[in-house]
Amino acid sequence: MHSRGALITLTLAMLAIIAGVLATEAGFTDYIMVFREPVTDQTYKQARSDVKYAGGEVTREYRAALKGLAVSLPDGQVDTLEQKSYVDYMEESGEVHTMSGGA
């Protein structure tokens, strides 16, 4: 049986493939911010405000497979946002590669 963490990691990988890799400005890094339950509209509003205050940008909103945001943050700001009570965890966005070949 797969653990919840493995399922979330797979979901994040699939979202990265679907969304594509966005070009990141120098000095910025892209992250997936996953919210801690319970998630409300106020959670999204507060997170958007905090990202903007940190000098970042929200690039995508997730409300189905996981609850959270894709964000682009200035270097050094991820630790500040990771400490917010509504954040479960943050994962750096990146390219996902699949293995080819038969087994």
Side-chain angles (χ1 to χ4, degrees), residues 4 8-9 15 17 25 28 35 54 68 70 74 78 81 88 100-101:
R4 183 174 187 255
I8 290 173
T9 300
L15 289 171
I17 292 169
E25 253 183 82
F28 283 73
F35 297 143
V78 68
L81 289 171
D88 189 17
S100 62

Side-chain angles (χ1 to χ4, degrees), residues 71-92:
V71 298
S72 183
L73 296 173
D75 294 344
Q77 291 298 315
V78 68
D79 291 336
T80 301
L81 289 171
E82 262 183 328
Q83 300 304 314
K84 299 293 184 180
S85 62
Y86 56 81
V87 175
D88 189 17
Y89 65 92
M90 293 184 68
E91 183 83 25
E92 187 172 342

